[in-house]
């Protein structure tokens, strides 16, 4: 029997070829997604903040006090455009520094849940109205004094030890930054008010020595808790604040020099004490930052910094907006970035950013000794 010829239609051959080889205009195959670059590790594991309203991030929201910043226009220029308890239209210095360190904004001690996860990157203990003297600011209501804040830090350290183990907790604390900004309320709400007849008992120089020695003791207490890296802030030129320019009847926008002189003396003492402590305490890295120097540079060179208004606050009432504190949005200016002062005592977000940059690396003016914070965290002295 002869083999029969098998005829295969050409259409089937073509279809088979296309199926096996694919179309001549093949579509590009999807490429595997490139994972995002990991964020660089922070320059310090955590930032702990001790202080007053200059760095309060919400502590006083939980206290019975008149010293509160939990309503607009406070926070109107903050990242969330909502009041957070910060005494500013936006960020405070430690917010800017946290970003420089690669850390999130530090939560207030009373505002966090007490979990280690909440505290692992730092805690802010600062309380508006607080001073070195326990009773400073008490006429405003409740506040957390310096001694109480150091105790809260001690409690945090104990919680970290329980959760992480003693060695890990000590390592965390010794590599973290502790930022201290306190003392101005001991003048505003104690000495200048003549509480307990203090200005008849102490000359300004003796009062300064008392405050400086008291702060030195707390710095040593922190060192004994394994703190090794500290930034100690001096006092601002409070005699230039709108409150005192109004109270002293200043007519030409000049600062109240006797008040500023007390701030200068305190800063002189604290810089000397910090230098001695750095020599006395093994492995201690302590920076002193003279806020007076940095602030006066802004005031004297305000045109270069872009500030149009140097004496009057953005928000308040009365001459220089120094009579009443900021109470409602209607009391505030439209553009705070033109102003040095936000309210009767506190600078604007823009000033806070300039001061933070000076603390970090002296970007605008040198005000920190013997090194800047950036030098400290990378262990390279000037």
């Amino acid at each position: 029997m002869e083999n029969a010829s098998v005829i295969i239609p050409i259409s089937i051959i073509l279809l088979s070829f296309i199926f096996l080889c694919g179309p001549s205009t093949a579509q590009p195959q999807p490429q595997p997604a490139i994972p995002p670059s990991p964020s660089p590790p922070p320059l310090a594991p955590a930032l702990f903040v001790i202080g007053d309203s200059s760095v309060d991030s919400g502590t006083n929201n939980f206290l019975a006090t008149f010293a509160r910043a939990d309503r607009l226009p406070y926070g109107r220029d903050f990242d969330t455009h909502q009041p957070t308890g910060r005494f500013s239209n936006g960020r405070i210095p430690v917010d800017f520094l946290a970003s420089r360190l690669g850390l999130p904004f530090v939560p207030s001690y009373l505002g966090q849940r007490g979990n280690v996860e909440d505290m692992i990157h730092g805690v802010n203990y600062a309380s508006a109205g607080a001073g070195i003297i326990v009773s400073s600011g008490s006429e405003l209501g409740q506040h957390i004094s310096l001694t109480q804040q150091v105790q809260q830090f001690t409690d945090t350290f104990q919680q970290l030890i329980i959760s992480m183990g003693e060695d890990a907790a000590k390592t965390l604390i010794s590599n973290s930054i502790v930022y201290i900004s306190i003392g101005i309320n001991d003048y505003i709400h104690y000495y200048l008010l003549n509480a307990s007849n203090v200005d008849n008992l102490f000359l300004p120089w003796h009062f300064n020595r008392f405050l400086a020695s008291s702060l030195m003791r707390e710095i040593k207490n922190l060192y004994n808790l394994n703190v090794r890296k500290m930034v100690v802030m001096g006092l601002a030129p409070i005699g230039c604040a709108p409150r005192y320019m109004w109270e002293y009847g200043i007519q030409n926008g000049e600062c109240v020099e006797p008040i500023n002189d007390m701030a200068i003396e305190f800063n002189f003492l604290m810089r000397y004490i910090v230098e001695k402590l750095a020599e006395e305490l093994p492995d201690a890295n302590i920076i002193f930052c003279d806020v007076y120097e940095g602030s006066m540079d802004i005031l004297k060179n305000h045109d270069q910094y872009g500030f149009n208004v140097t004496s009057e606050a953005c928000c308040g009432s009365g001459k220089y907006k120094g009579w009443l504190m900021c109470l409602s949005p209607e009391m505030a200016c439209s553009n705070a970035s033109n102003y040095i002062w936000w309210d009767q005592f506190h600078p604007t977000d823009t000033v806070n950013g300039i001061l933070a940059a000076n603390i970090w690396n002296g970007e605008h003016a040198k005000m920190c000794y013997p090194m800047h914070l950036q030098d400290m965290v990378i262990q390279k002295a000037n």
Side-chain angles (χ1 to χ4, degrees):
M1 182 176 176
E2 295 182 358
N3 292 332
S5 297
V6 180
I7 300 175
I8 303 175
I10 188 65
S11 61
I12 295 177
I13 295 174
L14 289 173
L15 287 171
S16 299
F17 181 81
I18 292 172
F19 178 78
L20 292 172
C21 300
S24 59
T25 57
Q27 298 297 316
Q29 298 299 309
Q31 298 297 317
I34 299 175
S37 300
S39 300
L43 296 175
L47 172 64
F48 296 93
V49 181
I50 290 171
D52 50 31
S53 59
S54 63
V55 285
D56 186 345
S57 64
T59 293
N60 279 31
N61 288 353
F62 302 90
L63 302 177
T65 176
F66 290 110
R68 299 167 71 93
D70 57 350
R71 61 196 175 278
L72 289 171
Y74 288 97
R76 72 176 193 188
D77 301 315
F78 188 66
D79 302 58
T80 60
H81 303 290
Q82 294 296 322
T84 61
R86 290 165 170 82
F87 285 76
S88 171
N89 59 302
R91 297 186 184 189
I92 51 179
V94 289
D95 294 327
F96 292 102
L97 292 175
S99 297
R100 298 265 192 171
L101 291 167
L103 296 169
F105 292 170
V106 181
S108 70
Y109 180 76
L110 297 183
Q112 44 92 30
R113 297 165 295 179
N115 300 330
V116 172
E117 292 76 15
D118 293 338
M119 301 183 293
I120 199 70
H121 295 302
V123 180
N124 189 325
Y125 309 92
S127 173
I132 297 171
I133 299 171
V134 173
S135 60
S136 292
S138 58
E139 79 277 6
L140 299 174
Q142 292 180 321
H143 65 268
I144 312 298
S145 70
L146 171 62
T147 302
Q148 292 169 320
Q149 291 180 43
V150 173
Q151 182 57 54
Q152 289 177 337
F153 177 84
T154 305
D155 295 341
T156 299
F157 187 28
Q158 293 300 322
Q159 288 178 274
L160 291 172
I161 289 175
I162 293 171
S163 175
M164 305 169 59
E166 185 171 359
D167 290 342
K170 284 184 175 181
T171 299
L172 172 69
I173 295 299
S174 65
N175 289 306
S176 296
I177 307 298
V178 172
Y179 181 104
I180 304 170
S181 178
I182 201 164
I184 203 68
N185 287 317
D186 297 292
Y187 298 90
I188 295 173
H189 298 293
Y190 196 83
Y191 195 84
L192 295 174
L193 285 181
N194 198 20
S196 304
N197 199 33
V198 64
D199 66 355
N200 292 320
L201 298 174
F202 291 95
L203 292 173
W205 175 251
H206 295 102
F207 186 69
N208 281 328
R209 290 181 60 185
F210 170 74
L211 291 181
S213 61
S214 298
L215 181 53
M216 178 182 65
R217 284 195 298 271
E218 296 300 345
I219 292 173
K220 287 184 175 181
N221 288 337
L222 290 167
Y223 177 84
N224 291 333
L225 291 168
N226 227 56
V227 174
R228 294 296 180 268
K229 298 179 180 180
M230 287 179 255
V231 177
V232 180
M233 305 302 296
L235 302 184
I238 197 63
C240 302
R243 168 69 186 190
Y244 289 118
M245 295 174 71
W246 165 80
E247 185 175 321
Y248 281 68
I250 301 297
Q251 298 300 319
N252 53 7
E254 293 183 355
C255 302
V256 182
E257 293 304 327
I259 297 178
N260 277 351
D261 288 343
M262 289 189 286
I264 293 171
E265 288 179 355
F266 177 85
N267 291 350
F268 175 82
L269 273 172
M270 282 310 305
R271 180 175 172 182
Y272 174 79
I273 286 173
V274 164
E275 289 175 354
K276 293 302 178 184
L277 285 174
E279 297 173 0
E280 175 186 339
L281 304 176
D283 301 323
N285 272 323
I286 311 176
I287 298 171
F288 174 75
C289 294
D290 194 328
V291 187
Y292 187 96
E293 290 186 7
S295 301
M296 290 306 294
D297 182 70
I298 296 171
L299 285 164
K300 291 176 180 178
N301 302 297
H302 56 89
D303 289 335
Q304 298 177 24
Y305 286 102
F307 295 114
N308 300 325
V309 187
T310 62
S311 302
E312 184 175 283
C314 170
C315 190
S317 181
K319 189 174 178 61
Y320 301 114
K321 300 292 181 70
W323 176 44
L324 286 178
M325 68 178 294
C326 186
L327 298 174
S328 68
E330 293 74 25
M331 298 172 69
C333 66
S334 58
N335 186 1
S337 63
N338 293 328
Y339 287 70
I340 289 178
W341 297 98
W342 165 245
D343 62 16
Q344 58 183 184
F345 286 123
H346 304 98
T348 58
D349 167 281
T350 307
V351 171
N352 286 334
I354 294 169
L355 294 176
N358 289 341
I359 296 166
W360 181 248
N361 61 9
E363 180 178 336
H364 306 283
K366 181 174 177 58
M367 54 183 257
C368 296
Y369 308 90
M371 64 181 73
H372 300 108
L373 179 55
Q374 183 182 42
D375 300 321
M376 176 189 281
V377 295
I378 64 174
Q379 294 299 302
K380 182 178 70 176
N382 287 332

